[in-house]
Amino acid sequence: MKIIIITGTPGTGKTALSKKLASKLDFHYIDVNRMISKYGVSEGYDKKRKTKIVDIKKLNKMLIREINSIKNANKDATKHPKQKNKPNKKSKSKIIAGVIIDSHLSHYLPKKYADLCIVTKCSLKVQQKRLKKRKYSNEKIRENLDAEIFDVCLNEARENGHKIIVFDTTKGIGIDKICNKIKHL
């Protein structure tokens, strides 16, 4: 089972890419923002930035538990396999070929749990337009543009030792090449 983390500054196309890849590859999609709310791994709320403050250690423990849970379900599904990626009658679960983890925090997951880290990037003009559409404050837009200028997510992913592919979403999302790379991991 392949684990792909997709990270990048807000507004660079992580979620669109994540969902398209998960669909095209028939991978399980994990929306980290939903999991943060579901499992309560935030340490509070930053009113100025209008965002949750996330405990990275708790987040990683939650993601590792989720990955292990999926791997265990795969083991159960393979005990009496009928067809790959189709539910079988005995286990009522399907074999999952991989997982896509979508979050600007996903690159904090230790490298031993991820086969590949895709860092999304886009032009600052496109990113700014996307963030305005989300009704981000000017201050929050500036902060995210600065994070993109300084390649914060990319540099942190490198520091964490991940195998990285940089994917530019400026002109839309063409994913065939990246799908082939994932299939050949």
Side-chain angles (χ1 to χ4, degrees), residues 5 27 29 34 51 82 88 91-92 162-163 166 178:
I5 55 178
F27 278 25
Y29 170 75
R34 277 201 177 135
T51 189
K82 186 147 178 119
N88 72 54
S91 71
K92 294 193 179 177
H162 289 291
K163 180 179 178 181
V166 176
I178 207 160

Side-chain angles (χ1 to χ4, degrees), residues 42-124:
S42 68
E43 297 179 321
Y45 189 77
D46 183 335
K47 289 180 184 176
K48 184 179 176 186
R49 290 189 174 106
K50 296 182 180 177
T51 189
K52 292 178 182 175
I53 302 165
V54 178
D55 181 325
I56 298 299
K57 286 183 182 179
K58 286 182 183 177
L59 174 65
N60 283 340
K61 284 180 184 178
M62 175 198 64
L63 287 172
I64 292 165
R65 255 192 325 267
E66 186 72 13
I67 290 166
N68 288 334
S69 173
I70 293 167
K71 284 181 178 180
N72 289 334
N74 266 358
K75 286 178 188 174
D76 290 344
T78 58
K79 286 181 183 173
H80 304 286
K82 186 147 178 119
Q83 281 184 300
K84 189 177 180 183
N85 291 330
K86 301 235 172 143
N88 72 54
K89 290 179 183 177
K90 290 189 179 183
S91 71
K92 294 193 179 177
S93 61
K94 76 177 200 176
I95 297 169
I96 296 172
V99 175
I100 301 280
I101 300 173
D102 169 18
S103 173
H104 72 285
L105 303 172
S106 65
H107 60 272
Y108 289 113
L109 186 68
K111 71 177 183 174
K112 71 179 188 177
Y113 295 100
D115 296 298
L116 181 66
C117 175
I118 300 172
V119 179
T120 56
K121 296 192 60 55
C122 70
S123 75
L124 297 176

Side-chain angles (χ1 to χ4, degrees), residues 31-49:
D31 179 344
V32 173
N33 287 331
R34 277 201 177 135
M35 292 189 75
I36 288 169
S37 295
K38 182 177 177 180
Y39 295 106
V41 294
S42 68
E43 297 179 321
Y45 189 77
D46 183 335
K47 289 180 184 176
K48 184 179 176 186
R49 290 189 174 106

